[in-house]
């Protein structure tokens, strides 16, 4: 029995697409001998899934059993009719448009998201169906979907800067006695509107502090919310922590 392998190669190494753009690539079949098949098919699946994590259940996780997966797209395309694939390496091109013209109200696409509780994922599955005596070939690859912003590309986005301040009066957690009596004040500004591929920019100024400050930690938090009945359930989880060393002026 000859061995065969199946692989999906997308046209973009980043695997990032928008709904209005064609999803293009090749289905690559490698086989030591020719194989007969009953058709080469490509399935495009996208869904919103509530994930169950291990450990202590949170608010969202406690109701995950009552929330069913939401299907965003489920499409099957026949790339090649039944026939035979020659030995060696065979590349079968494909092109799929996710968002058809005039179907704006039928399918609504959301950006790919791998959160702690909510998972929005898009998968490509190639399948080469064979006879009863031969195992079918199947492989799956994830591709990343971004919001369709083609109409906004000509308009430069100006980041919105937000000014903030932190003092002993804005903190709800226990503080050192020295900080309660002497106080501290940290001000700054940062951009709150940016693409995921762009850096988050801003500045932090330590104006005064009753105790020495050696470093500042910046936390990026992920906020996930779902509408359950007439209530909005929200959970927050840590994504990234960056520590900045202080530059002291004399």
């Amino acid at each position: 029995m000859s061995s065969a392998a199946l692989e999906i190669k997308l046209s973009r190494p980043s695997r990032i697409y928008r709904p209005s753009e064609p999803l293009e690539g090749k289905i690559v079949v490698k086989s030591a001998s020719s194989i007969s098949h009953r058709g080469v098919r490509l399935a495009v699946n996208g869904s919103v899934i509530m994930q169950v994590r291990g450990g202590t259940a949170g608010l969202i996780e406690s109701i995950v059993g009552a929330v069913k997966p939401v299907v965003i797209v489920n499409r099957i395309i026949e790339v090649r009719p039944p026939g035979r694939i020659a030995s060696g390496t065979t590349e079968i091109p494909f092109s799929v448009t996710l968002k058809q013209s005039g179907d704006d109200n039928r399918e609504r696409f959301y950006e790919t998201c791998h959160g702690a509780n909510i998972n929005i994922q898009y998968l490509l599955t190639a399948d080469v169906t064979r006879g009863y005596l031969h195992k079918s070939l199947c492989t799956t690859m994830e591709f990343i979907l971004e919001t369709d912003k083609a109409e906004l590309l000509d308009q430069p986005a100006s980041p919105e800067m937000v000014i903030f301040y932190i003092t002993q009066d804005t903190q709800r957690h226990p503080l050192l006695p020295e900080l309660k009596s002497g106080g501290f004040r940290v001000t700054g500004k940062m951009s709150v509107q940016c693409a995921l591929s762009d850096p988050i920019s801003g500045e932090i100024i330590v104006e005064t502090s009753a105790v020495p400050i050696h470093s500042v930690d910046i936390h990026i938090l992920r906020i996930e919310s779902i509408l359950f009945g007439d209530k909005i359930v929200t959970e927050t989880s840590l994504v990234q922590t960056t520590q900045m060393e202080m530059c002291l002026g004399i």
Side-chain angles (χ1 to χ4, degrees):
M1 181 179 297
S2 61
S3 60
L6 191 64
E7 182 183 4
I8 298 176
K9 288 186 177 181
L10 290 174
S11 59
R12 299 177 181 175
S14 64
R15 297 180 287 128
I16 299 176
Y17 295 86
R18 292 191 172 102
S20 60
E21 297 175 337
L23 189 65
E24 298 177 333
K26 299 176 182 178
I27 299 174
V28 182
V29 184
K30 296 181 180 180
S31 178
S33 61
S34 63
I35 57 175
S36 60
H37 62 89
R38 297 184 177 181
V40 179
R41 296 177 178 85
L42 185 70
V44 184
N45 296 288
S47 59
V48 182
I49 303 173
M50 301 296 296
Q51 300 181 128
V52 178
R53 299 170 298 168
T56 305
L59 292 175
I60 293 181
E61 189 177 346
S62 63
I63 61 173
V64 68
V67 181
K68 296 181 180 180
V70 178
V71 177
I72 301 175
V73 60
N74 184 10
R75 196 174 300 167
I76 299 177
I77 303 99
E78 186 177 60
V79 181
R80 177 171 290 190
R84 179 173 290 273
I85 297 177
S87 60
T89 301
T90 301
E91 296 183 346
I92 306 173
F94 65 83
S95 178
V96 180
T97 301
L98 299 178
K99 190 175 183 180
Q100 303 292 337
S101 58
D103 287 355
D104 294 346
N105 296 328
R106 293 186 183 181
E107 295 176 335
R108 183 177 179 181
F109 294 91
Y110 302 89
E111 286 191 328
T112 296
C113 172
H114 293 286
N117 302 279
I118 303 171
N119 188 41
I120 304 177
Q121 189 174 37
Y122 297 88
L123 299 174
L124 278 176
T125 301
D127 183 78
V128 179
T129 306
R130 306 180 67 186
Y132 295 106
L133 300 179
H134 301 277
K135 184 179 180 180
S136 298
L137 304 178
C138 183
T139 186
T140 299
M141 169 180 284
E142 179 184 10
F143 65 95
I144 311 301
L145 202 67
E146 286 187 346
T147 300
D148 201 342
K149 302 175 182 176
E151 67 280 4
L152 301 177
L153 293 180
D154 296 334
Q155 303 177 7
S158 57
E160 180 180 347
M161 302 298 292
V162 171
I163 299 174
F164 63 89
Y165 71 92
I166 305 172
T167 66
Q168 68 276 8
D169 298 327
T170 63
Q171 306 306 299
R172 298 181 180 179
H173 60 279
L175 299 175
L176 294 173
E178 296 88 342
L179 287 177
K180 286 185 177 181
S181 60
F184 66 95
R185 181 177 176 85
V186 178
T187 62
K189 60 182 180 179
M190 64 175 295
S191 173
V192 295
Q193 292 184 0
C194 61
L196 292 176
S197 57
D198 296 336
I200 300 175
S201 59
E203 65 179 31
I204 295 177
I205 302 175
V206 180
E207 296 183 359
T208 181
S209 177
V211 298
I213 297 178
H214 301 286
S215 64
V216 175
D217 292 341
I218 297 180
H219 302 288
I220 299 179
L221 303 177
R222 177 195 296 114
I223 301 177
E224 299 175 275
S225 302
I226 64 171
L227 181 63
F228 184 66
D230 57 349
K231 298 181 180 180
I232 297 179
V233 182
T234 302
E235 278 196 358
T236 303
S237 57
L238 180 64
V239 175
Q240 179 179 323
T241 298
T242 301
Q243 186 177 82
M244 300 188 304
E245 296 296 331
M246 298 298 297
C247 180
L248 300 179
I250 300 177

